[in-house]
Amino acid sequence: MARRLLTGIGIPILALFSALLLGSFVILSTGGGWDKVLTAYGAVVYGAFLKPRGFSETLLAMTPLILTGLAVALAFKAGLFNIGGEGQFLIGSLCSVWIGYHLTGLPGIVLVPLGLIAGMLGGAFWAAIAGYLKSRLGSHEVINTIMLNYIAFNLGDFLVNSRGPMNDPTSSVPRSPMIALSAHLPRLNPGSPSDRLHAGVIIALLATAVIWWLLYKTTLGFELRTTGANPDAARYAGMNARRNLVLAMALSGSLAGLAGAVEVQGLNFNVPAAVQSFSAGYGFDAIAVALLGHNHPFGVVPGAFLFGAMRTGADLLQLRTGVSRYVISIIQALVLLFAAAPAIVRWIYRIRAERRVEEAPLTRGWGA
Amino acid sequence: MLDTIVGLLASTVIAATPLALGAYCGIFCERSGVVNIGIEGMMLTAACISQIVAQYSGDLRLALLTGILTGGILAFIHAVISIRFKAEQIISGTVINILAVGLTGHLYQRYLAFSASPPQSPGTFPKVPIPLLQDIPILGPIFFQHQPIVYAMLILTFLTHFILFYTPWGLRTRAVGEHPRAADTVGINVYRVRYINVTLAGLIAGLAGCWFTLEWVGTFNLQMTSGKGFIALAAMIFGKWSPFGSFAAAVIFGFANALQINFQLNMPNIPYQFLTMAPYLLTMIVLAGVIGRAIPPAADGQPYEKG
C-alpha cells in the first residue's frame, strides 16, 4: 500500500522533474550556464505565484483550462474525441456577448446567469452538430469538430469585424460592443482594482463537481461511461447509443461554451475581431489538461492549475532571461509526455512496473 | 473563360499538395496500425527548420533535405513513444503538436524574427515546367507547370498506391495494421514494420512542411500550417485510407480553396468570411452525404503486445 502510494505520487513528480530537466537543456542551448536555468525557472515560479497578483493571474489562466479540459475529458469518457473546443469556446463567447450588450436593462442577478446559459447553449449546439452527424450519418466527429472550428473562426470574424452585424462601430479596434456592467461576473477581490480574479474560477470548480456527480452518480453518467468503454456492451444492454452520443457531445460543448462565456463576462467584456487569438490554443491545451488528469474531473483541476501557472509565469521568464516564452510550451509537451506515458519515466528511473491493473484506455483513436 | 478554369484547376493542384502529402503520411502510419495526429506538428516544425536552413545556408536543396529529415525524426520519436513505450498514440501525437508550437516559436524568435536580423531568404523553388508534357492543352498547365514538391506529391500518389497494394512490404504493412497477431504468427516483425512505416511517413510530412516555406511563401510565419495537418487527416479518412481516395479528397478541398480565393478577388460584395469557410463546410457536407461511415484499419491505434 505504501509502495503504491509512493509510485502514485512519485511518478507525476518524476514526470515534472524530467520535463524541467529536459527543458533546461533547451534553455542552456541559448547560451549561459545552469545559473540561467535557475533564474529562468525562478522567474516562472515568481511570476506564477509570488509576485503581487501572480497567484490571481494563475487562477485566472486556470479557469478556462478547467472548463475546456472538462469538455475534452467528458467526451473521451463517452468514447468521443472532441478537438473542437476552440470553436465551441468562440460560439459560446459570441452568444454570451450578444446577451450582454442587448439585454442591458436586466438586473445583474438575471443577466449574469442568462449570459452564461447562452454561452453553454451556443457551445452545446455547435458540438451537437458533430454529434448528430456522427449518430445519423456516421461521419467522423474528429473531422467535423475540426471543420466546425474553422467555420466558427470565420463566422466570428464576420460577425464582429468592421461592418459585421455584431461590430461596435465606435471602437477603433474591430470588436463587439462592450457588455453591460450588470453582465460582469463579480470580482473576488473588489478592494484591489488591479486584481482581475473573478467568480469564474468558482464556476469552474463547481462545474468540476457537477461533472463528477453526473459521470459517477447518475444513470446518464453510467450510460455515457459504458458507451465509452464498450459501445457493444452498451448497445446490448439496451442503451440508446445515438441519443447518448449527441448528448455527450452537447454536454462537452456546453462546457467549452461556458468557458467562452466566462472569459467574456469575467475578463474581456467583449469579443475582439481577432477571434483566433481570443480562443488561443484552448483546443490543444484542453486535450493536454484532460489527458494529464486521466480524464477524471478531479484530475483536470491540478492539470489546469499546472498549465495555468506555466502560462502565467512564461512572460516573466522571457522578460528576465531573454529566453523565449515558447520554452514553456516545450516543457508543457514534455510534462504531458511523461505524465501520460509512465512507462517512459519507469524506464528512465528503472522503477519496476506494478502488477498490471486492467485499465480502460483514455482514448480510442478513431474508434468506430 | 477556359483560361480561368484552367488557372483555377492549376491552383487547385497547388493547394491540394500539403493536404495530399499529409494524408499519405497518415496512410502509411495508420495502415500499419499507428494513429498519427501529430502530422500538423511535424509539418510546422519541418517548415520552420527548413526555412532557417534556407536563410542561413542560402541552399534550398539543403533546406529541403533538412526539412524532410525533421519530419522523419519527429515521426521516429512518435514511433518510439507509441511502439516501444506503448503510450496512447493520441497522446503522443498531441505531445508532438504542442512540442512543435513551442519549438518553432522558440527557434523563430531566436533565428528568424526581425530582432535576430537573419540573412535574407533565398526565396522559393522556381517552377520547373516538364518538357513536352507542359505543352499538352489543358492538362499541361494544370499538372506540368509547377514547382518540384507538387510533382513529388503527384508521384507519391501513385507510389503510395503501388507500395501498399502491389509489393510484399505493402501486404505486410496492411497485415500488421489489420491483424498484428496473425502477422506475427506468420513471422512478420510487427514492431519493425511499424517503426519503418511511421518513420518513412514522417519524411512525407516533412516534405509537406517544406512546401509551406520553400515553395509557397518563402518565409516562415508562426502557426503557418494553420490546421492543414488536421485537414490532411480529414482527407485521409475521407479517402478511406487509400491514396487515390485521399488525393481526390485533397483536390476537392484544394478546389474549394482556389475557388474562394478567386471569388474574393472577383466578387467583393460577398463577405470574404463566408468564402473562406466554404471549403470546411463542403468537407462536412460531402463527408455526411457521400462518404458515410469510414472504417479505419482494424488494429489502428492499438499498441501491440507480443504474446
Side-chain angles (χ1 to χ4, degrees):
Chain A
M1 184 65 208
R3 195 185 146 77
R4 252 189 86 180
L5 201 67
L6 206 66
T7 42
I9 305 170
I11 294 216
I13 289 177
L14 282 177
L16 184 61
F17 172 75
S18 318
L20 290 175
L21 191 69
L22 270 181
S24 58
F25 291 119
V26 180
I27 299 173
L28 287 176
S29 77
T30 64
W34 283 95
D35 52 323
K36 187 170 175 187
V37 174
L38 285 181
T39 322
Y41 288 151
V44 176
V45 172
Y46 183 78
F49 302 111
L50 305 172
K51 118 185 160 184
R53 294 175 304 282
F55 194 63
S56 283
E57 292 291 320
T58 292
L59 294 182
L60 212 52
M62 172 185 81
T63 304
L65 287 175
I66 290 182
L67 290 169
T68 50
L70 283 175
V72 176
L74 180 91
F76 270 144
K77 277 277 182 230
L80 294 162
F81 191 9
N82 178 8
I83 318 195
E86 265 181 74
Q88 295 141 23
F89 177 99
L90 184 61
I91 297 294
S93 63
L94 286 167
C95 292
S96 147
V97 90
W98 192 88
I99 295 280
Y101 74 81
H102 267 279
L103 308 176
T104 48
L106 294 175
I109 189 120
V110 183
L111 194 53
V112 169
L114 208 58
L116 297 176
I117 290 169
M120 291 174 72
L121 289 177
F125 167 72
W126 206 246
I129 297 175
Y132 180 80
L133 286 175
K134 178 163 181 156
S135 79
R136 285 283 145 188
L137 303 160
S139 60
H140 207 286
E141 85 274 9
V142 171
I143 304 175
N144 280 332
T145 50
I146 295 168
M147 297 302 137
L148 284 166
N149 274 350
Y150 290 98
I151 294 171
F153 295 150
N154 281 296
L155 190 65
D157 185 20
F158 165 71
L159 288 174
V160 298
N161 215 330
S162 38
R163 293 190 295 148
M166 283 174 73
N167 177 261
D168 179 0
T170 60
S171 159
S172 55
V173 209
R175 60 163 172 77
S176 76
M178 300 297 266
I179 58 171
L181 216 58
S182 49
H184 289 199
L185 285 168
R187 291 263 166 104
L188 292 186
N189 185 5
S192 150
S194 55
D195 187 341
R196 307 190 293 163
L197 187 62
H198 55 78
V201 64
I202 297 170
I203 294 173
L205 293 173
L206 280 176
T208 311
V210 169
I211 294 302
W212 171 80
W213 173 80
L214 182 92
L215 274 177
Y216 294 97
K217 300 286 162 195
T218 66
T219 317
L220 175 65
F222 177 72
E223 289 201 9
L224 292 186
R225 285 185 294 122
T226 311
T227 312
N230 191 338
D232 294 330
R235 213 168 303 125
Y236 285 127
M239 295 175 186
N240 187 340
R242 282 188 171 179
R243 190 203 59 165
N244 285 346
L245 201 159
V246 179
L247 211 56
M249 274 316 270
L251 279 170
S252 170
S254 74
L255 287 161
L258 179 61
V262 163
E263 271 315 82
V264 163
Q265 289 175 255
L267 197 61
N268 223 50
F269 310 127
N270 68 66
V271 175
V275 285
Q276 257 175 296
S277 62
F278 179 61
S279 53
Y282 285 124
F284 278 161
D285 284 8
I287 297 170
V289 163
L291 294 174
L292 268 182
H294 281 245
N295 294 338
H296 192 286
F298 293 148
V300 165
V301 176
F305 181 74
L306 184 67
F307 268 44
M310 286 184 169
R311 255 189 192 216
T312 310
D315 289 320
L316 203 64
L317 165 86
Q318 177 152 1
L319 207 66
R320 284 212 179 155
T321 57
V323 176
S324 102
R325 55 171 296 133
Y326 288 101
V327 170
I328 290 297
S329 295
I330 299 178
I331 295 172
Q332 283 180 337
L334 295 170
V335 170
L336 173 62
L337 170 64
F338 293 133
I344 301 180
V345 177
R346 288 212 191 88
W347 176 75
I348 297 174
Y349 299 99
R350 308 275 178 241
I351 299 170
R352 232 174 333 127
E354 289 171 57
R355 222 170 306 138
R356 208 158 246 296
V357 194
E358 215 32 69
E359 237 182 290
L362 293 177
T363 67
R364 292 203 297 123
W366 303 128
Chain B
M1 186 59 196
L2 188 66
D3 278 357
T4 322
I5 294 174
V6 167
L8 201 62
L9 291 178
S11 21
T12 296
V13 174
I14 297 174
T17 298
L19 307 177
L21 287 173
Y24 305 155
C25 166
I27 288 174
F28 276 115
C29 290
E30 305 212 351
R31 282 285 186 167
S32 72
V34 179
V35 167
N36 185 355
I37 68 160
I39 296 174
E40 172 85 0
M42 294 173 189
M43 292 194 334
L44 186 66
T45 315
C48 178
I49 289 186
S50 65
Q51 184 61 27
I52 292 175
V53 173
Q55 285 185 219
Y56 283 83
S57 76
D59 186 345
L60 282 176
R61 268 177 274 182
L62 183 68
L64 181 68
L65 195 68
T66 347
I68 292 174
L69 283 178
T70 304
I73 291 168
L74 282 177
F76 181 71
I77 295 173
H78 177 57
V80 173
I81 298 170
S82 44
I83 300 168
R84 163 74 177 79
F85 291 105
K86 302 187 175 62
E88 289 189 34
Q89 295 160 10
I90 298 278
I91 296 180
S92 174
T94 308
V95 166
I96 301 243
N97 285 332
I98 300 177
L99 193 68
V101 172
L103 201 63
T104 56
H106 176 66
L107 293 173
Y108 174 79
Q109 282 201 353
R110 199 161 150 71
Y111 295 108
L112 293 175
F114 180 66
S115 58
S117 52
Q120 253 200 332
S121 165
T124 55
F125 279 115
K127 281 192 179 174
V128 191
I130 310 253
L132 297 179
L133 289 178
Q134 65 148 324
D135 299 324
I136 306 174
I138 303 177
L139 288 183
I142 296 176
F143 287 110
F144 301 113
Q145 297 180 9
H146 287 294
Q147 292 158 292
I149 299 179
V150 176
Y151 296 133
M153 180 274 286
L154 292 173
I155 295 168
L156 273 168
T157 311
F158 294 96
L159 197 62
T160 308
H161 182 81
F162 177 76
I163 293 176
L164 268 183
F165 299 108
Y166 293 96
T167 64
W169 176 260
L171 184 62
R172 276 181 217 150
T173 302
R174 287 181 291 135
V176 163
E178 295 288 347
H179 203 315
R181 180 77 60 208
D184 197 358
T185 314
V186 296
I188 298 171
N189 186 337
V190 175
Y191 296 135
R192 201 174 74 104
V193 170
R194 287 190 173 175
Y195 266 117
I196 292 176
N197 269 303
V198 173
T199 311
L200 289 182
L203 299 177
I204 304 177
L207 183 65
C210 291
W211 177 84
F212 287 89
T213 44
L214 305 183
E215 218 169 85
W216 188 36
V217 187
T219 52
F220 176 78
N221 307 315
L222 290 174
Q223 307 292 324
M224 78 186 298
T225 46
S226 64
K228 292 230 163 51
F230 287 113
I231 298 167
L233 279 180
M236 174 197 73
I237 297 178
F238 203 154
K240 300 195 167 168
W241 289 264
S242 86
F244 290 139
S246 306
F247 175 75
V251 164
I252 291 174
F253 208 86
F255 179 71
N257 210 34
L259 196 65
Q260 61 97 355
I261 293 171
N262 192 288
F263 268 43
Q264 277 190 30
L265 294 175
N266 297 321
M267 291 181 217
N269 289 328
I270 307 176
Y272 69 88
Q273 295 94 342
F274 289 103
L275 297 170
T276 322
M277 81 171 71
Y280 306 105
L281 210 55
L282 184 75
T283 307
M284 288 181 68
I285 293 168
V286 177
L287 202 63
V290 185
I291 302 298
R293 194 172 292 274
I295 298 158
D300 204 7
Q302 295 165 12
Y304 179 61
E305 202 86 53
K306 219 168 150 61

